[in-house]
Amino acid sequence: MPVTLYSDSNYAGKNVELAAGRYKLDADFNDTISSLQVPANWSVTLYDAEDFTGEKVTLTSDTANLAGVFDNKASSIEVTHKAAASTKESELYYVGGDWIIKSGGATGFLR
């Protein structure tokens, strides 16, 4: 699920979905972003200059109203997706000349 930008607060108005990447906003969205939805493990950095410079703010969750934060200021955006951290722990053993990896119930051999 990508990040969604909205021209109005409370996830209303014109909207666009963005996958991971860097974007210079066109005339339809430059200086108009007022809310955004950010799924888990995603982040959005809004810049007030079109070349990913100037004042910036990074958001990691849904924001229904950017007033007082960065309302109608964004000219470029960087969207990042971070892979969810694994909850499985791996163990590495050396037994009889072989390396054995145990991870979440699975076992593998390294030779």
Side-chain angles (χ1 to χ4, degrees):
M1 169 187 248
V3 167
T4 306
L5 309 176
Y6 297 88
S7 62
D8 298 330
S9 61
N10 299 310
Y11 317 115
K14 294 183 293 185
N15 64 77
V16 64
E17 292 183 347
L18 300 176
R22 292 168 53 109
Y23 303 89
K24 293 181 182 180
L25 297 177
D26 64 14
D28 287 338
F29 282 94
N30 186 47
D31 296 333
T32 66
I33 306 303
S34 292
S35 61
L36 52 93
Q37 292 179 308
V38 183
N41 299 314
W42 289 75
S43 66
V44 176
T45 302
L46 306 173
Y47 298 88
D48 70 351
E50 68 179 35
D51 292 318
F52 312 99
T53 59
E55 188 179 345
K56 68 180 182 178
V57 64
T58 300
L59 303 164
T60 58
S61 62
D62 293 355
T63 305
N65 192 341
L66 287 170
V69 179
F70 218 76
D71 192 31
N72 297 323
K73 289 178 70 174
S75 292
S76 56
I77 296 178
E78 184 170 16
V79 177
T80 306
H81 181 243
K82 298 175 187 167
S86 173
T87 57
K88 296 180 182 177
E89 291 187 17
S90 296
E91 298 174 347
L92 183 63
Y93 302 94
Y94 187 75
V95 179
D98 292 321
W99 286 100
I100 301 171
I101 299 172
K102 286 187 156 187
S103 178
T107 302
F109 295 92
L110 296 175
R111 296 185 190 254

XYZ file of all heavy atoms in Angstrom:
841
model
N 0.849 -1.175 0.000
C 0.000 0.000 0.000
C 0.900 1.246 0.000
O 1.732 1.416 0.871
C -0.902 -0.021 1.227
C -1.631 1.282 1.452
S -2.529 1.289 3.003
C -4.164 1.306 2.378
N 0.757 2.098 -0.966
C 1.595 3.301 -1.037
C 1.093 4.425 -0.125
O 0.031 4.328 0.485
C 1.480 3.712 -2.499
C 0.136 3.209 -2.916
C -0.099 1.955 -2.125
N 1.858 5.490 -0.100
C 1.502 6.710 0.624
C 0.478 7.482 -0.213
O 0.562 7.489 -1.443
C 2.775 7.561 0.831
C 2.450 8.958 1.278
C 3.708 6.865 1.803
N -0.499 8.117 0.435
C -1.491 8.921 -0.286
C -1.452 10.355 0.219
O -1.521 10.597 1.421
C -2.913 8.360 -0.107
O -2.925 6.976 -0.472
C -3.905 9.112 -0.977
N -1.313 11.302 -0.708
C -1.315 12.732 -0.397
C -2.668 13.322 -0.770
O -3.263 12.924 -1.773
C -0.241 13.450 -1.221
C 1.167 12.890 -1.201
C 2.056 13.681 -2.152
C 1.726 12.894 0.200
N -3.136 14.295 0.033
C -4.425 14.947 -0.223
C -4.251 16.465 -0.212
O -3.489 17.003 0.600
C -5.446 14.560 0.850
C -5.760 13.095 0.875
C -5.007 12.213 1.633
C -6.819 12.580 0.125
C -5.291 10.856 1.657
C -7.117 11.224 0.147
C -6.344 10.368 0.908
O -6.630 9.027 0.927
N -5.020 17.138 -1.051
C -4.938 18.598 -1.129
C -5.692 19.286 0.007
O -5.453 20.459 0.281
C -5.471 19.094 -2.476
O -6.837 18.750 -2.625
N -6.607 18.585 0.666
C -7.388 19.154 1.767
C -7.155 18.354 3.037
O -6.727 17.193 2.989
C -8.878 19.165 1.428
C -9.196 20.036 0.217
O -8.479 21.031 -0.012
O -10.162 19.702 -0.507
N -7.476 18.943 4.163
C -7.351 18.230 5.435
C -8.376 17.106 5.515
O -9.321 17.052 4.712
C -7.508 19.198 6.611
O -8.776 19.803 6.568
N -8.183 16.224 6.461
C -9.075 15.084 6.696
C -9.208 14.162 5.492
O -10.283 13.623 5.219
C -10.445 15.548 7.201
C -10.315 16.280 8.510
O -9.670 15.789 9.435
N -10.900 17.460 8.594
N -8.102 14.016 4.738
C -8.021 13.068 3.626
C -9.063 13.342 2.554
O -9.715 12.428 2.045
C -8.133 11.624 4.151
C -7.323 11.408 5.408
C -7.942 11.114 6.618
C -5.936 11.542 5.402
C -7.201 10.940 7.779
C -5.185 11.371 6.565
C -5.832 11.061 7.747
O -5.096 10.892 8.897
N -9.223 14.598 2.214
C -10.211 15.012 1.212
C -9.512 15.796 0.096
O -8.351 16.161 0.198
C -11.293 15.861 1.864
N -10.253 16.056 -0.961
C -9.747 16.849 -2.080
C -8.990 15.982 -3.085
O -9.104 14.763 -3.095
N -8.210 16.649 -3.943
C -7.400 15.921 -4.916
C -6.452 15.014 -4.156
O -5.966 15.361 -3.079
C -6.577 16.887 -5.776
C -7.381 17.778 -6.690
C -6.477 18.640 -7.553
C -5.730 19.634 -6.673
N -4.924 20.592 -7.443
N -6.167 13.840 -4.732
C -5.230 12.942 -4.069
C -4.370 12.221 -5.086
O -4.729 12.114 -6.259
C -5.959 11.966 -3.150
C -6.866 11.034 -3.907
O -6.408 10.081 -4.519
N -8.169 11.321 -3.881
N -3.244 11.750 -4.602
C -2.321 10.984 -5.430
C -1.628 9.961 -4.542
O -1.327 10.235 -3.382
C -1.299 11.909 -6.138
C -0.403 12.622 -5.137
C -0.470 11.127 -7.144
N -1.427 8.757 -5.090
C -0.703 7.709 -4.383
C 0.725 7.664 -4.903
O 0.949 7.729 -6.114
C -1.370 6.352 -4.590
C -2.720 6.240 -3.927
C -3.339 4.862 -4.076
O -2.839 4.047 -4.894
O -4.321 4.591 -3.382
N 1.671 7.545 -3.983
C 3.087 7.515 -4.353
C 3.769 6.291 -3.765
O 3.639 6.014 -2.577
C 3.800 8.768 -3.843
C 3.292 10.117 -4.348
C 4.059 11.245 -3.671
C 3.422 10.206 -5.860
N 4.499 5.586 -4.600
C 5.332 4.478 -4.146
C 6.660 5.060 -3.649
O 6.876 6.275 -3.713
C 5.565 3.505 -5.301
N 7.539 4.216 -3.176
C 8.846 4.679 -2.710
C 9.568 5.413 -3.840
O 9.544 4.989 -4.993
C 9.674 3.502 -2.221
N 10.176 6.551 -3.516
C 10.908 7.335 -4.500
C 10.980 8.794 -4.106
O 10.534 9.190 -3.026
N 11.554 9.595 -4.993
C 11.675 11.045 -4.785
C 10.863 11.743 -5.865
O 10.947 11.383 -7.040
C 13.147 11.461 -4.850
C 13.940 10.927 -3.669
C 15.447 11.066 -3.856
N 15.890 12.385 -4.174
C 16.580 13.183 -3.348
N 16.902 12.772 -2.160
N 16.963 14.367 -3.733
N 10.095 12.753 -5.459
C 9.160 13.411 -6.371
C 9.236 14.923 -6.244
O 9.213 15.454 -5.140
C 7.719 12.983 -6.061
C 7.490 11.494 -6.126
C 7.688 10.690 -5.003
C 7.078 10.892 -7.305
C 7.472 9.327 -5.059
C 6.861 9.520 -7.370
C 7.061 8.748 -6.251
O 6.852 7.402 -6.304
N 9.283 15.597 -7.393
C 9.082 17.043 -7.441
C 7.610 17.232 -7.779
O 7.123 16.684 -8.776
C 9.961 17.682 -8.507
C 11.435 17.611 -8.186
C 12.253 18.275 -9.269
C 13.721 18.155 -8.977
N 14.539 18.797 -10.014
N 6.890 17.971 -6.946
C 5.450 18.102 -7.140
C 5.132 19.027 -8.304
O 5.729 20.098 -8.456
C 4.805 18.605 -5.855
C 4.949 17.645 -4.673
C 4.346 18.250 -3.421
C 4.306 16.311 -4.981
N 4.158 18.626 -9.125
C 3.746 19.444 -10.261
C 2.785 20.534 -9.786
O 2.473 20.634 -8.598
C 3.126 18.584 -11.360
C 1.835 17.898 -10.952
O 1.237 18.265 -9.912
O 1.405 16.983 -11.671
N 2.298 21.333 -10.712
C 1.448 22.482 -10.374
C 0.184 22.078 -9.625
O -0.341 22.843 -8.812
C 1.079 23.241 -11.650
N -0.325 20.854 -9.863
C -1.539 20.408 -9.174
C -1.326 20.166 -7.686
O -2.262 20.284 -6.899
C -2.073 19.121 -9.806
C -2.715 19.357 -11.160
O -3.115 20.505 -11.434
O -2.826 18.391 -11.930
N -0.096 19.811 -7.285
C 0.142 19.472 -5.888
C 1.196 20.330 -5.200
O 1.323 20.282 -3.977
C 0.501 17.985 -5.754
C -0.694 17.099 -5.834
C -1.071 16.539 -7.039
C -1.474 16.850 -4.724
C -2.193 15.734 -7.131
C -2.598 16.054 -4.798
C -2.962 15.493 -6.007
N 1.937 21.139 -5.936
C 2.942 21.995 -5.320
C 2.281 22.978 -4.344
O 1.333 23.676 -4.694
C 3.714 22.766 -6.392
C 4.866 23.551 -5.817
O 5.642 23.024 -5.018
N 4.967 24.805 -6.201
N 2.766 22.989 -3.123
C 2.253 23.891 -2.072
C 0.762 23.715 -1.798
O 0.070 24.662 -1.444
C 2.541 25.363 -2.425
C 4.026 25.656 -2.468
O 4.802 24.970 -1.767
O 4.419 26.584 -3.188
N 0.244 22.481 -1.963
C -1.185 22.248 -1.697
C -1.457 21.083 -0.745
O -2.603 20.876 -0.366
C -1.972 21.970 -2.999
O -1.524 20.747 -3.562
C -1.835 23.099 -3.989
N -0.473 20.320 -0.343
C -0.700 19.128 0.484
C -1.154 19.539 1.884
O -0.481 20.308 2.564
C 0.572 18.256 0.574
C 1.093 17.897 -0.819
C 0.314 17.008 1.422
C 0.122 17.187 -1.694
N -2.316 19.014 2.300
C -2.869 19.357 3.619
C -3.086 18.154 4.530
O -3.318 18.317 5.731
C -4.188 20.102 3.462
O -3.954 21.388 2.897
N -3.045 16.937 3.975
C -3.129 15.724 4.793
C -2.498 14.589 4.010
O -2.327 14.675 2.790
C -4.579 15.401 5.163
O -5.379 15.178 4.035
N -2.141 13.524 4.726
C -1.553 12.372 4.059
C -1.724 11.116 4.890
O -1.880 11.175 6.108
C -0.084 12.597 3.720
C 0.857 13.055 4.826
C 1.517 11.878 5.480
C 1.907 13.957 4.226
N -1.746 9.996 4.184
C -1.843 8.698 4.838
C -0.534 7.954 4.609
O -0.082 7.842 3.466
C -3.024 7.899 4.299
C -4.350 8.519 4.691
C -5.539 7.764 4.141
O -5.614 7.507 2.948
N -6.476 7.431 5.015
N 0.044 7.474 5.711
C 1.340 6.812 5.675
C 1.191 5.437 6.334
O 1.021 5.357 7.545
C 2.408 7.644 6.422
C 3.762 6.975 6.323
C 2.461 9.067 5.878
N 1.244 4.358 5.552
C 1.112 3.022 6.135
C 2.287 2.674 7.057
O 3.337 3.328 7.015
C 1.113 2.100 4.909
C 0.850 2.975 3.740
C 1.374 4.327 4.100
N 2.118 1.625 7.834
C 3.186 1.142 8.703
C 4.426 0.822 7.869
O 4.323 0.361 6.730
C 2.724 -0.107 9.446
N 5.575 1.106 8.410
C 6.883 0.865 7.784
C 7.184 1.783 6.598
O 8.074 1.507 5.812
C 7.039 -0.607 7.372
C 6.955 -1.533 8.543
O 7.569 -1.287 9.577
N 6.178 -2.578 8.424
N 6.431 2.860 6.463
C 6.682 3.868 5.427
C 6.992 5.192 6.119
O 6.563 5.427 7.250
C 5.453 4.058 4.540
C 5.168 2.912 3.620
C 4.629 1.708 3.963
C 5.395 2.863 2.218
N 4.499 0.915 2.851
C 4.960 1.593 1.770
C 5.921 3.762 1.296
C 5.043 1.204 0.430
C 5.985 3.373 -0.033
C 5.559 2.114 -0.453
N 7.710 6.062 5.434
C 7.910 7.423 5.926
C 7.870 8.378 4.738
O 8.143 7.991 3.598
C 9.230 7.566 6.685
O 10.327 7.381 5.822
N 7.508 9.615 5.038
C 7.421 10.656 4.018
C 8.174 11.869 4.532
O 7.920 12.334 5.638
C 5.954 11.051 3.745
C 5.882 12.193 2.747
C 5.165 9.867 3.254
N 9.113 12.374 3.730
C 9.797 13.617 4.065
C 9.330 14.678 3.080
O 9.457 14.501 1.868
C 11.326 13.464 4.020
O 11.705 12.422 4.928
C 12.019 14.764 4.411
N 8.731 15.742 3.617
C 8.251 16.863 2.811
C 9.296 17.968 2.855
O 9.811 18.295 3.927
C 6.933 17.392 3.384
C 5.803 16.395 3.591
C 4.646 17.050 4.327
C 5.341 15.828 2.261
N 9.621 18.545 1.701
C 10.582 19.647 1.592
C 9.872 20.871 1.045
O 9.036 20.746 0.145
C 11.720 19.275 0.640
C 12.550 18.093 1.068
C 12.178 16.798 0.717
C 13.711 18.261 1.813
C 12.949 15.700 1.098
C 14.483 17.173 2.196
C 14.086 15.904 1.835
O 14.846 14.824 2.210
N 10.256 22.058 1.512
C 9.600 23.256 0.992
C 10.233 23.774 -0.290
O 9.679 24.648 -0.943
C 9.509 24.355 2.057
C 10.838 24.987 2.423
O 11.899 24.485 1.996
O 10.815 25.996 3.149
N 11.373 23.225 -0.700
C 11.994 23.597 -1.973
C 11.862 22.430 -2.950
O 11.773 21.269 -2.548
C 13.460 23.961 -1.767
N 11.851 22.750 -4.231
C 11.588 21.714 -5.226
C 12.736 20.743 -5.440
O 12.566 19.706 -6.067
C 11.173 22.331 -6.558
C 12.266 23.094 -7.249
C 11.819 23.670 -8.579
O 10.656 24.071 -8.697
O 12.646 23.711 -9.493
N 13.914 21.030 -4.925
C 15.061 20.162 -5.131
C 15.478 19.432 -3.862
O 16.664 19.249 -3.603
C 16.233 20.959 -5.706
C 15.950 21.424 -7.122
O 15.394 20.635 -7.909
O 16.275 22.577 -7.439
N 14.494 19.032 -3.035
C 14.748 18.260 -1.823
C 15.677 18.995 -0.865
O 16.558 18.407 -0.241
C 15.297 16.872 -2.171
C 14.487 16.182 -3.239
C 14.896 16.194 -4.555
C 13.288 15.578 -2.916
C 14.141 15.594 -5.551
C 12.507 14.976 -3.903
C 12.942 14.985 -5.219
N 15.456 20.301 -0.772
C 16.253 21.139 0.117
C 15.311 22.053 0.894
O 14.101 22.028 0.706
C 17.261 22.007 -0.677
O 16.537 22.829 -1.598
C 18.260 21.144 -1.441
N 15.883 22.846 1.754
C 15.103 23.803 2.523
C 14.522 23.172 3.768
O 14.957 22.117 4.234
N 13.517 23.821 4.312
C 12.846 23.304 5.502
C 12.217 21.960 5.161
O 11.723 21.745 4.054
C 11.770 24.292 5.945
C 11.130 23.957 7.261
C 10.088 24.986 7.681
O 10.043 26.094 7.122
O 9.305 24.646 8.576
N 12.251 21.025 6.141
C 11.669 19.711 5.885
C 11.055 19.145 7.153
O 11.365 19.580 8.266
C 12.722 18.743 5.349
C 13.798 18.367 6.350
C 14.792 17.407 5.737
C 15.837 17.008 6.780
N 16.782 16.036 6.235
N 10.158 18.176 6.951
C 9.545 17.446 8.054
C 9.361 16.006 7.589
O 9.028 15.761 6.432
C 8.205 18.074 8.502
C 7.158 18.012 7.411
C 7.696 17.420 9.768
N 9.619 15.055 8.497
C 9.423 13.643 8.185
C 8.265 13.103 9.009
O 8.209 13.309 10.219
C 10.708 12.835 8.473
O 11.770 13.353 7.657
C 10.514 11.359 8.162
N 7.341 12.415 8.332
C 6.152 11.864 8.972
C 6.133 10.353 8.788
O 6.473 9.856 7.706
C 4.895 12.483 8.372
C 4.840 14.011 8.452
C 3.786 14.558 7.511
C 4.568 14.439 9.881
N 5.726 9.639 9.829
C 5.708 8.180 9.776
C 4.326 7.595 10.085
O 4.193 6.398 10.275
C 6.732 7.591 10.761
O 6.427 8.061 12.073
C 8.152 7.974 10.371
N 3.314 8.441 10.128
C 1.951 7.964 10.374
C 0.956 8.892 9.680
O 1.313 9.984 9.234
C 1.663 7.899 11.873
O 1.753 9.181 12.443
N -0.297 8.455 9.612
C -1.343 9.273 9.010
C -1.406 10.626 9.710
O -1.279 10.708 10.935
C -2.706 8.593 9.151
C -2.815 7.315 8.326
O -1.882 6.993 7.572
O -3.854 6.639 8.447
N -1.613 11.678 8.924
C -1.745 13.027 9.467
C -2.940 13.677 8.783
O -2.885 13.994 7.598
C -0.460 13.852 9.237
O 0.646 13.134 9.786
C -0.558 15.205 9.881
N -4.021 13.854 9.535
C -5.272 14.365 8.978
C -5.238 15.852 8.698
O -6.031 16.360 7.908
C -6.433 14.045 9.917
N -4.321 16.572 9.350
C -4.261 18.021 9.157
C -2.826 18.489 9.376
O -2.312 18.409 10.485
C -5.212 18.718 10.135
C -5.410 20.170 9.804
O -4.615 20.767 9.090
N -6.472 20.747 10.336
N -2.213 18.977 8.316
C -0.827 19.447 8.404
C -0.711 20.880 8.917
O 0.387 21.414 8.994
C -0.143 19.328 7.041
C 0.202 17.903 6.608
C 0.635 17.884 5.145
C 1.270 17.316 7.492
N -1.830 21.504 9.288
C -1.788 22.871 9.825
C -0.850 22.899 11.032
O -0.898 22.030 11.896
C -3.186 23.327 10.232
N 0.016 23.883 11.060
C 0.980 24.002 12.143
C 2.175 23.082 11.984
O 3.125 23.154 12.748
N 2.124 22.201 10.985
C 3.240 21.280 10.741
C 3.921 21.630 9.420
O 5.082 22.007 9.396
C 2.752 19.811 10.723
C 3.906 18.859 10.451
C 2.063 19.448 12.021
N 3.184 21.512 8.311
C 3.765 21.759 6.988
C 2.659 21.963 5.956
O 2.776 21.567 4.805
C 4.649 20.568 6.596
C 5.919 20.942 5.871
C 6.990 21.468 6.556
C 6.035 20.753 4.511
C 8.164 21.792 5.899
C 7.203 21.074 3.840
C 8.270 21.590 4.540
N 1.555 22.570 6.353
C 0.387 22.732 5.490
C 0.676 23.631 4.299
O 1.172 24.748 4.444
C -0.781 23.304 6.309
C -2.102 23.231 5.576
O -2.293 22.294 4.772
O -2.960 24.099 5.822
N 0.352 23.142 3.105
C 0.498 23.905 1.850
C 1.906 24.437 1.628
O 2.085 25.527 1.092
C -0.521 25.054 1.807
C -1.940 24.554 1.798
O -2.257 23.539 1.190
N -2.812 25.252 2.495
N 2.927 23.664 2.019
C 4.314 24.104 1.859
C 5.162 23.176 0.999
O 6.208 23.585 0.516
C 4.984 24.237 3.236
C 4.483 25.398 4.062
C 5.151 25.446 5.418
C 6.601 25.841 5.317
N 7.232 26.035 6.638
N 4.765 21.923 0.825
C 5.633 20.935 0.176
C 5.781 21.180 -1.322
O 4.811 21.379 -2.036
C 5.088 19.532 0.416
N 7.044 21.158 -1.767
C 7.346 21.269 -3.196
C 8.048 20.023 -3.729
O 8.057 19.771 -4.922
C 8.224 22.492 -3.456
O 7.494 23.671 -3.203
N 8.650 19.249 -2.827
C 9.230 17.968 -3.205
C 9.066 17.001 -2.035
O 8.921 17.421 -0.886
C 10.699 18.113 -3.616
O 11.469 18.723 -2.609
N 9.068 15.714 -2.376
C 8.747 14.687 -1.383
C 9.632 13.474 -1.597
O 9.864 13.051 -2.738
C 7.265 14.255 -1.510
C 6.358 15.434 -1.190
C 6.950 13.076 -0.611
C 4.894 15.129 -1.329
N 10.071 12.904 -0.486
C 10.783 11.626 -0.538
C 9.955 10.601 0.238
O 9.616 10.813 1.398
C 12.165 11.762 0.076
C 12.996 10.515 -0.036
C 14.438 10.736 0.368
O 14.742 11.753 1.017
O 15.253 9.873 0.043
N 9.607 9.498 -0.429
C 8.819 8.432 0.172
C 9.727 7.221 0.344
O 10.393 6.800 -0.603
C 7.613 8.064 -0.725
C 6.827 6.906 -0.134
C 6.720 9.277 -0.956
N 9.749 6.680 1.563
C 10.629 5.558 1.876
C 9.820 4.419 2.465
O 8.946 4.642 3.306
C 11.702 5.994 2.898
O 12.375 7.139 2.393
C 12.702 4.895 3.146
N 10.130 3.214 2.029
C 9.502 2.018 2.594
C 10.579 1.197 3.272
O 11.594 0.870 2.668
C 8.831 1.191 1.500
C 8.155 -0.037 2.021
N 8.542 -1.298 1.669
C 7.120 -0.188 2.881
C 7.775 -2.175 2.288
N 6.915 -1.535 3.023
N 10.349 0.876 4.537
C 11.294 0.070 5.296
C 10.693 -1.305 5.481
O 9.548 -1.427 5.917
C 11.561 0.708 6.662
C 12.191 2.068 6.542
C 12.327 2.708 7.887
C 12.795 4.137 7.705
N 12.687 4.927 8.898
N 11.457 -2.341 5.163
C 10.973 -3.708 5.359
C 10.722 -3.941 6.839
O 11.474 -3.468 7.689
C 11.994 -4.699 4.829
N 9.657 -4.649 7.135
C 9.348 -4.955 8.532
C 10.452 -5.820 9.115
O 10.973 -6.721 8.463
C 8.011 -5.685 8.614
N 10.827 -5.514 10.331
C 11.864 -6.294 10.993
C 11.344 -7.698 11.261
O 10.198 -7.893 11.636
C 12.266 -5.626 12.302
N 12.202 -8.666 11.062
C 11.834 -10.051 11.317
C 11.727 -10.300 12.818
O 12.530 -9.812 13.597
C 12.885 -10.987 10.715
O 12.613 -12.313 11.089
N 10.724 -11.052 13.190
C 10.571 -11.393 14.606
C 11.230 -12.729 14.911
O 11.260 -13.159 16.048
C 9.084 -11.468 14.991
O 8.442 -12.428 14.156
C 8.418 -10.115 14.841
N 11.746 -13.403 13.887
C 12.416 -14.687 14.089
C 13.877 -14.445 14.429
O 14.538 -13.624 13.820
C 12.327 -15.540 12.826
C 10.918 -15.935 12.460
C 10.928 -16.769 11.196
C 9.523 -17.136 10.782
N 9.504 -17.872 9.519
N 14.367 -15.214 15.366
C 15.781 -15.133 15.708
C 16.476 -16.340 15.101
O 15.946 -17.443 15.088
C 15.965 -15.121 17.222
C 15.466 -13.852 17.857
C 15.811 -13.789 19.336
O 16.679 -14.550 19.783
O 15.190 -12.980 20.018
N 17.677 -16.134 14.611
C 18.456 -17.223 14.040
C 19.565 -17.596 15.006
O 20.095 -16.753 15.721
C 19.062 -16.807 12.699
O 18.048 -16.542 11.768
N 19.905 -18.877 14.987
C 21.016 -19.359 15.786
C 21.985 -20.047 14.850
O 21.581 -20.718 13.901
C 20.528 -20.342 16.851
C 19.569 -19.707 17.833
C 18.989 -20.734 18.798
O 19.140 -21.946 18.560
O 18.385 -20.309 19.787
N 23.268 -19.902 15.100
C 24.303 -20.488 14.259
C 25.162 -21.390 15.136
O 25.666 -20.962 16.176
C 25.143 -19.378 13.621
C 26.234 -19.779 12.646
C 25.629 -20.476 11.422
C 27.015 -18.557 12.207
N 25.302 -22.657 14.728
C 26.086 -23.635 15.488
C 27.151 -24.247 14.578
O 26.953 -24.386 13.374
C 25.210 -24.788 15.984
C 24.062 -24.379 16.853
C 22.801 -24.150 16.308
C 24.225 -24.246 18.220
C 21.735 -23.794 17.113
C 23.165 -23.893 19.034
C 21.919 -23.665 18.478
O 20.866 -23.304 19.273
N 28.249 -24.673 15.172
C 29.277 -25.416 14.451
C 29.307 -26.813 15.032
O 29.628 -27.001 16.201
C 30.640 -24.735 14.591
C 31.711 -25.349 13.735
C 31.734 -25.117 12.365
C 32.692 -26.160 14.291
C 32.715 -25.668 11.570
C 33.682 -26.713 13.500
C 33.686 -26.474 12.138
O 34.658 -27.029 11.347
N 28.903 -27.804 14.221
C 28.804 -29.176 14.710
C 29.454 -30.111 13.688
O 29.042 -30.156 12.535
C 27.335 -29.602 14.921
C 27.252 -31.042 15.399
C 26.644 -28.675 15.897
N 30.465 -30.842 14.129
C 31.083 -31.872 13.282
C 31.556 -31.373 11.931
O 31.415 -32.048 10.935
N 32.092 -30.170 11.862
C 32.625 -29.642 10.615
C 31.600 -28.915 9.753
O 31.928 -28.449 8.665
N 30.356 -28.825 10.198
C 29.311 -28.126 9.447
C 28.753 -26.962 10.267
O 28.614 -27.053 11.488
C 28.135 -29.061 9.121
C 28.499 -30.141 8.133
O 29.258 -29.844 7.190
O 28.027 -31.274 8.328
N 28.426 -25.868 9.593
C 27.699 -24.776 10.233
C 26.225 -25.065 10.091
O 25.737 -25.360 8.995
C 28.024 -23.433 9.582
C 29.380 -22.916 9.941
C 30.508 -22.988 9.188
C 29.741 -22.266 11.144
N 31.561 -22.428 9.859
C 31.121 -21.964 11.066
C 29.050 -21.909 12.306
C 31.806 -21.324 12.078
C 29.746 -21.266 13.307
C 31.102 -20.982 13.204
N 25.478 -24.991 11.173
C 24.044 -25.256 11.157
C 23.309 -23.986 11.557
O 23.607 -23.382 12.586
C 23.680 -26.402 12.124
C 24.430 -27.673 11.727
C 22.175 -26.637 12.142
C 24.301 -28.796 12.733
N 22.338 -23.569 10.740
C 21.537 -22.380 11.019
C 20.133 -22.833 11.393
O 19.507 -23.600 10.659
C 21.448 -21.458 9.791
C 22.830 -20.988 9.383
C 20.519 -20.278 10.081
C 22.837 -20.241 8.074
N 19.647 -22.371 12.528
C 18.269 -22.638 12.931
C 17.533 -21.304 12.958
O 17.963 -20.384 13.633
C 18.204 -23.293 14.302
C 18.609 -24.729 14.311
C 18.350 -25.324 15.679
C 18.183 -26.822 15.537
N 17.773 -27.413 16.818
N 16.444 -21.223 12.238
C 15.687 -19.976 12.170
C 14.203 -20.295 12.127
O 13.714 -20.883 11.160
C 16.081 -19.176 10.939
O 15.315 -18.005 10.855
N 13.483 -19.941 13.169
C 12.034 -20.131 13.196
C 11.585 -21.543 12.903
O 10.623 -21.750 12.206
N 12.302 -22.533 13.413
C 11.908 -23.931 13.218
C 12.558 -24.577 11.998
O 12.555 -25.782 11.876
N 13.108 -23.784 11.088
C 13.778 -24.353 9.923
C 15.258 -24.505 10.218
O 15.838 -23.756 10.987
C 13.599 -23.435 8.713
N 15.865 -25.527 9.625
C 17.291 -25.770 9.819
C 17.957 -25.848 8.460
O 17.436 -26.457 7.533
C 17.513 -27.083 10.608
O 16.840 -26.985 11.860
C 18.987 -27.339 10.843
N 19.129 -25.248 8.333
C 19.897 -25.315 7.100
C 21.361 -25.566 7.403
O 21.822 -25.367 8.525
N 22.097 -26.048 6.428
C 23.516 -26.352 6.606
C 24.345 -25.457 5.698
O 23.996 -25.224 4.558
C 23.800 -27.820 6.255
C 23.131 -28.796 7.165
C 21.872 -29.309 6.866
C 23.752 -29.209 8.330
C 21.247 -30.216 7.699
C 23.136 -30.114 9.179
C 21.875 -30.608 8.876
N 25.477 -24.987 6.221
C 26.456 -24.246 5.438
C 27.704 -25.109 5.360
O 28.182 -25.611 6.366
C 26.825 -22.916 6.092
C 25.708 -21.892 6.233
C 26.232 -20.694 7.009
C 25.223 -21.460 4.865
N 28.232 -25.290 4.201
C 29.454 -26.117 4.063
C 30.533 -25.298 3.418
O 30.332 -24.455 2.657
C 29.161 -27.352 3.241
C 28.159 -28.237 3.943
C 27.959 -29.532 3.161
N 26.840 -30.217 3.727
C 26.965 -31.299 4.488
N 28.147 -31.804 4.726
N 25.906 -31.890 4.968
